[in-house]
Amino acid sequence: MAKVVVFDHPLIKHKLTFIRDKNTGSKEFRELVTEVSMLMGYEVTRDFPLEEIEIETPVTTMKSQVISGKKVGLIPILRAGLGMVDGMLNLLPAARVGHVGLYRDPETLKPVEYYCKLPQDIEERELIVLDPMLATGGSATAAIDFLKEKGATSIKLVCLIAAPEGVDAVKDAHPDVDIYVAALDEKLNDHAYIVPGLGDAGDRLFGTK
Ligand code: PRP
Ligand code: URA
């Protein structure tokens, strides 16, 4: 069974407060989302394997550790997932970035796919799916279904804010996928928005409302 990690770091809690605040404008919102994504990346990569290499310090030679093993693919779910890419790339500059375009139909609340461009070797990569909001879980579940159909073997999901309904939906559909959330909120409202949440992540990132 995969794990669900809810962050309790003071820096993440502090920054999330201002991300949630409706008076935070798009510029600051984007900066904060980047910062929180980077902080989350620290924990998301905790199980990355290490190997020893030999190096020379100015004083002597030594064996020291570097990350080995799988290559990484970052998969933002468009649009709002884009806001988390830079923070993760700051930590993982060699990662490839694949894009999955999904929007949630406002009537049916079901995800509709409209774009996909992935690295060719996704089956060899440790994929990190990025989306600030995990509400009903429909979008994340569909994106992960899709990545598995394309051959993905190792997937983690990283979200800023989740509703319990979304976490349960992804856990049920994809018990092999670890889920990392900066905050687990109370519930969904009648429009399937997360309460208290932060509103519409895409609109707040890109200033479209
Ligand atoms: C938002 C969000 C998730 C989805 C979450 O995207 O970024 O992708 O809703 O809802 P769900 O868990 O119920 O599927 P939205 O559909 O608003 O598209 P956008 O990113 O283009 O704004
Ligand atoms: N999508 C968002 O952007 N916000 C929510 O609260 C739910 C879905």
Side-chain angles (χ1 to χ4, degrees):
M1 194 65 179
K3 59 185 175 189
V4 178
V5 177
V6 183
F7 286 73
D8 67 354
H9 196 286
L11 277 175
I12 291 184
K13 286 179 188 280
H14 175 89
K15 290 176 191 295
L16 208 48
T17 297
F18 297 99
I19 288 175
R20 289 182 188 275
D21 189 331
K22 69 175 187 180
N23 295 313
T24 299
S26 285
K27 177 177 182 287
E28 197 186 347
F29 187 92
R30 280 193 296 272
E31 290 167 356
L32 288 163
V33 170
T34 296
E35 288 168 13
V36 170
S37 304
M38 191 163 90
L39 293 170
M40 292 181 80
Y42 183 78
E43 192 59 35
V44 171
T45 52
R46 179 173 290 283
D47 63 357
F48 277 19
L50 293 166
E51 65 181 318
E52 275 194 345
I53 60 167
E54 192 164 282
I55 56 164
E56 276 182 53
T57 75
V59 180
T60 185
T61 59
M62 70 174 286
K63 290 206 161 77
S64 193
Q65 292 181 316
V66 291
I67 299 222
S68 73
K70 283 196 169 184
K71 300 177 283 185
V72 177
L74 301 177
I75 314 289
I77 301 179
L78 306 181
R79 298 175 288 174
L82 288 175
M84 300 178 73
V85 173
D86 285 352
M88 286 281 172
L89 277 178
N90 285 342
L91 287 186
L92 300 164
R96 299 290 163 90
V97 182
H99 297 83
V100 175
L102 291 174
Y103 70 88
R104 196 172 71 161
D105 184 293
E107 301 297 323
T108 65
L109 301 178
K110 299 281 179 233
V112 181
E113 187 201 321
Y114 63 89
Y115 185 77
C116 176
K117 184 79 181 173
L118 299 172
Q120 278 178 348
D121 54 355
I122 61 161
E123 66 285 353
E124 293 168 24
R125 288 185 182 267
E126 174 96 32
L127 299 184
I128 303 177
V129 176
L130 303 172
D131 194 329
M133 309 309 279
L134 182 60
T136 65
S139 304
T141 302
I144 296 167
D145 282 342
F146 186 69
L147 292 171
K148 287 185 174 175
E149 275 164 32
K150 299 277 180 194
T153 54
S154 173
I155 302 176
K156 292 175 176 172
L157 173 65
V158 184
C159 303
L160 293 190
I161 300 183
E165 295 88 332
V167 172
D168 288 346
V170 174
K171 267 169 62 183
D172 287 349
H174 297 291
D176 57 316
V177 172
D178 290 339
I179 303 170
Y180 296 81
V181 300
L184 184 58
D185 275 10
E186 193 188 326
K187 59 179 182 185
L188 296 176
N189 70 12
D190 293 344
H191 304 284
Y193 269 74
I194 300 173
V195 181
L198 55 73
D200 188 301
D203 285 341
R204 294 201 59 195
L205 275 168
F206 299 113
T208 40
K209 217 172 240 172

